[in-house]
Amino acid sequence: MNSTIIVGAGIIGLLTAIELQKAGQKVTLIDRGFSGQESSWAGGGIISPLYPWRYPDEITRLAGLSQLIYPELLEHMQQATGIDPEFLQSGMLILGDHSAENPEAWARRHAINMQPVDATQIRELAPEASDRFETGLWFPDIYQVRNPRLVSLARTYLKSTDITLVEQTRVSDILIKEDRVTAIITDSEPYTADQYLISGGAWTSELLKSTGFDPGIEPVKGQMLLLKGAAGKVRHITLSEDRYLIPRKDGRILVGSTTEKSGFNKQPTTDVRHSLLRYAVDTVPALASHEIELHWAGLRPGSANGLPCIGRHPSLENLFINSGHYRNGLVMAPASAQLMSEMMLQKSTCLAEIDYAPRDVFHLKK
Ligand SMILES: Cc1cc2nc3c(=O)[nH]c(=O)nc-3n(C[C@H](O)[C@H](O)[C@H](O)COP(=O)(O)OP(=O)(O)OC[C@H]3O[C@@H](n4cnc5c(N)ncnc54)[C@H](O)[C@@H]3O)c2cc1C
């Protein structure tokens, strides 16, 4: 049996650990905090890219494969743990005129169920929405998941396996001899294995500093509001002007988000609080009476074009990277975990048409 150490227990590290364990690997997962408490906790949990036609085809493929994997994976983990991740088919309504970008051609090419809607259809789908919206796009098959529940589900499931979870242990260095990693240095003790994987989210480039390779992953802050609400007030995931409303099962409503480059600063700000609330009320006027329950920020692992880095380190043969999923880490997580695990186990990949040259870190082919 081969052994793997994974650094970073966000959704990417958690699901990759589970994939590798299923394939018979002895896995140790290390996080400096508690698992799943960074970006994977902070996000919105929409199981689709926003404005999905704007992304490279590789992201469409990873998202599409994950959309196929999620129902069975979550059902299996829920059965084993009793934790409900609130995986709901909410549908996604994108308001505004996007005809210049021709999303219909994109949807036809990828066989995505998407319907253009006019003012009357918008009133039927979302009677709560402001009547200033005359046109939009309706994606009936889009799901959401509730982030804190998803990461708690994955963590609890993982603890029922023989994966070793080491929390509150910061990785400070990677020891290298010739073209191999020999140990991961932590605040407490060194850890050794046959293979190593870095899935450190926004901190991935920092973690890799001593290896001489920078995958160009940088933190992109996103702020969120949680409004108290009654179930049914907002019916669907509703998106416009790069902001969105997500109705949770219990009636609470998430309002997101921003994309701010301010280093590793996670402090929420008053101006964004006001602007998110203004957006919510402009979109659904009835939200004016809803109280803000929580306001937070998370750090996305930002990458060029949102393309993740999934592959082998360019010069260290037993070191791998699965990170840089930017705004789509939740939706791409199951497929990325499967792809990474297949590469590490040198199987043919689940996305066979994606270029994969062993020893090359690859940003999914552009
Ligand atoms: C506001 C917001 C909204 C979002 N909405 C969506 C959405 O609707 N849909 C979607 O698909 N995606 C969404 N995302 C993006 C998604 O949340 C991320 O892409 C995804 O969570 C990244 O997962 P990760 O495991 O790579 O990173 P993280 O969850 O950040 O995990 C990285 C882990 O590495 C650990 N770590 C870092 N440094 C060290 C170290 N030195 N030693 C040990 N451990 C370390 C951290 O503690 C952390 O637990 C959103 C993100 C934000 C912030």
Side-chain angles (χ1 to χ4, degrees), residues 10 40 50 84 98 102 144 185 198 226 230 240-241 255 264 300 315 319 343:
S40 303
L50 310 175
D84 176 6
H98 300 98
N102 204 355
Q144 63 160 299
I185 304 302
I198 305 297
L226 184 68
S240 59
E241 299 133 39
V255 190
F264 291 96
R300 307 177 185 91
S315 57
L319 180 62
M343 283 182 189

Side-chain angles (χ1 to χ4, degrees), residues 165-176:
L165 181 59
V166 183
E167 294 183 317
Q168 295 187 284
T169 302
R170 195 179 72 91
V171 169
S172 54
D173 204 0
I174 298 174
L175 281 196
I176 296 161

Side-chain angles (χ1 to χ4, degrees), residues 121-292:
Q121 291 162 312
I122 293 172
R123 301 296 88 83
E124 279 165 20
L125 280 166
E128 69 275 12
S130 153
D131 56 16
R132 72 193 160 92
F133 297 109
E134 297 285 322
T135 181
L137 299 166
W138 170 233
F139 294 75
D141 300 335
I142 299 305
Y143 281 71
Q144 63 160 299
V145 70
R146 195 159 181 164
N147 300 53
R149 287 175 163 267
L150 173 68
V151 289
S152 159
L153 170 68
R155 179 176 185 260
T156 309
Y157 177 80
L158 181 144
K159 283 180 146 190
S160 73
T161 69
D162 63 1
I163 296 169
T164 305
L165 181 59
V166 183
E167 294 183 317
Q168 295 187 284
T169 302
R170 195 179 72 91
V171 169
S172 54
D173 204 0
I174 298 174
L175 281 196
I176 296 161
K177 194 167 176 204
E178 290 159 9
D179 60 353
R180 292 181 70 79
V181 173
T182 54
I184 291 285
I185 304 302
T186 72
D187 288 344
S188 53
E189 54 184 298
Y191 286 81
T192 57
D194 301 313
Q195 302 195 107
Y196 300 84
L197 167 65
I198 305 297
S199 52
W203 296 267
T204 297
S205 283
E206 285 209 330
L207 276 158
L208 287 169
K209 233 174 212 157
S210 64
T211 72
F213 171 67
D214 180 0
I217 295 168
E218 53 175 8
V220 182
K221 177 173 162 184
Q223 300 194 40
M224 283 283 204
L225 294 185
L226 184 68
L227 305 183
K228 288 186 179 164
K233 257 287 165 59
V234 174
R235 299 182 190 197
H236 308 291
I237 298 163
T238 305
L239 173 63
S240 59
E241 299 133 39
D242 204 27
R243 299 228 156 148
Y244 50 79
L245 303 172
I246 307 173
R248 293 306 200 201
K249 191 179 179 181
D250 59 10
R252 290 183 167 91
I253 295 147
L254 265 184
V255 190
S257 183
T258 53
T259 49
E260 302 166 61
K261 292 201 176 170
S262 49
F264 291 96
N265 169 6
K266 277 198 303 183
Q267 198 59 37
T269 59
T270 314
D271 58 330
V272 169
R273 182 185 178 97
H274 291 149
S275 108
L276 287 175
L277 190 59
R278 210 168 33 245
Y279 165 77
V281 175
D282 280 355
T283 309
V284 173
L287 293 180
S289 58
H290 289 239
E291 229 178 277
I292 297 175

Side-chain angles (χ1 to χ4, degrees), residues 20-59:
L20 287 167
Q21 188 271 344
K22 262 197 324 207
Q25 292 271 305
K26 183 177 173 325
V27 182
T28 302
L29 179 57
I30 305 176
D31 200 284
R32 65 171 182 199
F34 290 105
S35 9
Q37 295 306 299
E38 290 291 350
S39 191
S40 303
W41 179 95
I46 303 172
I47 304 300
S48 168
L50 310 175
Y51 306 98
W53 61 87
R54 291 180 184 167
Y55 285 93
D57 284 355
E58 290 76 9
I59 287 186

Side-chain angles (χ1 to χ4, degrees), residues 10-12 31-32 39-40 43-46 171 326-331:
I11 195 62
I12 301 296
D31 200 284
R32 65 171 182 199
S39 191
S40 303
I46 303 172
V171 169
Y326 191 31
R327 302 193 81 172
N328 298 307
L330 260 286
V331 54

